[in-house]
């Protein structure tokens, strides 16, 4: 009898222990208890947007802590106190944002890498409002459309809907063709994703270059503004100048109109003259070469007064020979006195 009672007590104790462990595990799951070491931080927000104590703290979707408390400063800045695992390293540029956890309005606190400085934020540090972002208030957003909803006339909306339905009736083939073409267009765009990506990269490079030359662009815009102001100040002079240019252009047009009839003859005679010069190139070249000496000699003859003394030294007759080649025949000449060759 005693042995049966003792066995029952052992079985009862084991059952109670298992139930206690199960209850403790259930409480841990639902209470989301954590036993690892944590670090406490604070973040300042202009609006906590229904964030409450016990909400999760996440980094890249991974839960790393919880919100421990929310308080309000005298300047209406909300201070959120939260904890993270000791393995999580926050920097002075870490950003905090309040995000929607689900569609029923629950929130969570997300920590983001702000880049820049890698100086570690010591436990107990504060993330300022310049690095925090409140959640989007959907109630205020939807409430902003309330005046538009009030302005809508239900009868007009029903009439518009009926007209749209009537317009789309019996247009199934057309709509299907349009959807097919839209699908083909989107497929073509998808096939050109590398090309579009390269265009975006090139545009990014161009914008980066323009950003690097922002000072010069500002200076150019300033110079253009000064130029426009100068032109505006002298608009009367410019208008008068353009009127004069128009007058002179008309006069030059009349002059060219008068010059046009004799111009072909001038061109023809110029062509004939150039042909003659090329045909007797040696003689023309010799004449041009000896002309300066001849002018100097002629100048010496004119230094005695307003007359010239000429001496006949040679008489040469030029005649056309065979094939049109010139032939020079010396008729008379002397090689003494003033005509002695030098």
């Amino acid at each position: 009898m005693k042995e049966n009672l003792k066995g029952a007590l052992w079985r009862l104790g084991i059952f109670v222990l298992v139930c206690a462990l199960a209850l403790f595990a259930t409480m841990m799951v639902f209470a989301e208890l954590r036993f690892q070491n944590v670090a406490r931080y604070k973040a300042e927000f202009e609006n906590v947007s229904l964030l409450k104590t016990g909400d999760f703290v996440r980094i890249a979707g991974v839960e790393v802590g919880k919100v421990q408390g929310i308080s309000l400063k005298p300047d209406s800045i909300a201070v959120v106190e939260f904890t993270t695992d000791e393995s999580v390293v926050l920097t002075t540029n870490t950003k905090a944002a309040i995000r929607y956890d689900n569609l029923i309005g629950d929130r969570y606190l997300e920590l983001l890498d702000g880049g820049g400085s890698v100086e570690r934020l010591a436990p107990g540090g504060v993330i300022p409002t310049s690095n925090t972002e409140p959640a989007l208030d959907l109630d205020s957003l939807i409430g902003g459309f309330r005046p538009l909803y009030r302005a809508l006339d239900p009868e007009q909306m029903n009439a518009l809907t009926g007209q749209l339905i009537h317009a789309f009736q019996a247009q199934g083939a057309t709509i299907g063709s349009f959807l097919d073409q839209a699908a083909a267009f989107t497929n073509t765009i998808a096939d050109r994703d590398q090309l579009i990506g390269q265009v975006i990269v090139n545009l990014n490079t161009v914008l980066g270059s323009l950003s690097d030359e922002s000072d010069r662009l500002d200076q150019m815009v300033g110079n253009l503004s000064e130029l426009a102001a100068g032109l505006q100040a002298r608009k009367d002079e410019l208008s008068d100048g353009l009127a004069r240019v128009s007058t002179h252009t008309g006069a030059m047009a009349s002059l060219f109109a008068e010059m046009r009839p004799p111009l072909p003859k001038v061109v023809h005679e110029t062509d004939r003259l150039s042909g003659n010069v090329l045909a007797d190139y040696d003689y023309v070249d010799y004449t041009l070469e000896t002309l300066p000496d001849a002018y100097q000699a002629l100048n010496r003859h004119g230094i005695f007064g307003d007359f010239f003394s000429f001496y006949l030294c040679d008489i040469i007759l030029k005649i056309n020979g065979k094939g049109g080649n010139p032939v020079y025949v010396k008729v008379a000449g002397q090689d003494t006195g003033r005509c002695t060759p030098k």
Side-chain angles (χ1 to χ4, degrees):
M1 184 69 180
K2 291 182 179 180
E3 293 179 356
N4 294 334
L5 180 61
K6 188 176 181 180
L9 291 175
W10 273 105
R11 289 191 292 271
L12 179 61
I14 294 173
F15 175 75
V16 171
L17 179 61
V18 172
C19 291
L21 292 175
L23 179 62
F24 180 73
T26 303
M27 292 178 61
M28 286 183 57
V29 171
F30 285 97
E32 299 173 349
L33 299 177
R34 297 175 181 269
F35 298 100
Q36 67 269 30
N37 295 328
V38 295
R40 291 181 175 270
Y41 299 93
K42 294 181 180 180
E44 297 180 348
F45 289 87
E46 295 181 356
N47 187 351
V48 293
S49 301
L50 300 180
L51 186 72
K52 60 183 180 296
T53 301
D55 288 340
F56 288 113
V57 178
R58 296 174 180 173
I59 296 179
V62 179
E63 298 173 6
V64 297
K66 282 188 174 183
V67 175
Q68 299 298 323
I70 301 174
S71 60
L72 188 65
K73 295 173 62 177
D75 55 356
S76 298
I77 296 296
V79 179
V80 177
E81 184 177 357
F82 62 94
T83 60
T84 63
D85 296 341
E86 283 190 341
S87 59
V88 176
V89 178
L90 302 185
T91 66
T92 55
N93 281 338
T94 297
K95 294 184 178 181
I98 299 176
R99 305 297 189 194
Y100 270 88
D101 192 21
N102 49 47
L103 294 178
I104 61 176
D106 293 336
R107 267 70 161 175
Y108 69 92
L109 182 64
E110 183 177 15
L111 301 179
L112 305 170
D113 183 12
S117 175
V118 294
E119 181 182 354
R120 182 169 182 173
L121 181 65
V126 179
I127 301 177
T129 55
S130 59
N131 286 349
T132 60
E133 177 184 351
L136 176 64
D137 192 347
L138 292 180
D139 295 335
S140 299
L141 178 62
I142 297 175
F145 290 97
R146 187 172 300 172
L148 176 61
Y149 297 150
R150 292 177 178 176
L152 294 177
D153 187 351
E155 295 182 359
Q156 292 180 353
M157 291 298 299
N158 292 334
L160 177 61
T161 305
Q163 292 176 2
L164 291 175
I165 294 174
H166 179 73
F168 285 132
Q169 286 178 346
Q171 299 295 327
T174 303
I175 296 174
S177 176
F178 170 76
L179 294 177
D180 292 339
Q181 294 178 4
F185 174 75
T186 55
N187 290 332
T188 303
I189 294 297
D191 294 338
R192 300 293 190 273
D193 58 342
Q194 294 182 353
L195 178 60
I196 296 173
Q198 185 63 38
V199 171
I200 294 174
V201 171
N202 294 338
L203 289 176
N204 188 27
T205 303
V206 171
L207 292 177
S209 300
L210 292 177
S211 178
D212 295 338
E213 300 295 336
S214 60
D215 295 337
R216 295 186 179 180
L217 289 175
D218 292 340
Q219 184 179 3
M220 182 183 69
V221 172
N223 294 337
L224 289 176
S225 178
E226 293 178 0
L227 176 61
L231 294 176
Q232 175 68 21
R234 306 184 64 179
K235 61 180 181 180
D236 295 335
E237 299 179 8
L238 291 174
S239 177
D240 185 46
L242 290 175
R244 294 182 181 179
V245 169
S246 177
T247 302
H248 292 317
T249 302
M252 292 181 65
S254 301
L255 178 62
F256 288 148
E258 295 177 359
M259 291 175 57
R260 186 173 182 180
L263 190 60
K265 183 177 180 181
V266 173
V267 173
H268 175 71
E269 295 298 332
T270 302
D271 182 68
R272 189 170 69 87
L273 175 62
S274 61
N276 294 334
V277 171
L278 290 175
D280 202 2
Y281 170 76
D282 294 334
Y283 176 74
V284 174
D285 183 65
Y286 172 77
T287 302
L288 293 177
E289 183 178 357
T290 58
L291 191 60
D293 296 335
Y295 279 144
Q296 289 181 1
L298 186 62
N299 184 44
R300 288 195 298 269
H301 284 292
I303 63 176
F304 298 105
D306 55 352
F307 59 88
F308 291 93
S309 299
F310 293 95
Y311 298 90
L312 186 61
C313 296
D314 296 310
I315 298 177
I316 299 175
L317 182 63
K318 177 183 177 183
I319 61 177
N320 292 331
K322 185 176 181 180
N325 297 322
V327 177
Y328 300 96
V329 180
K330 187 175 182 179
V331 178
Q334 63 175 359
D335 299 332
T336 61
R338 294 182 178 273
C339 296
T340 301
K342 296 181 180 179

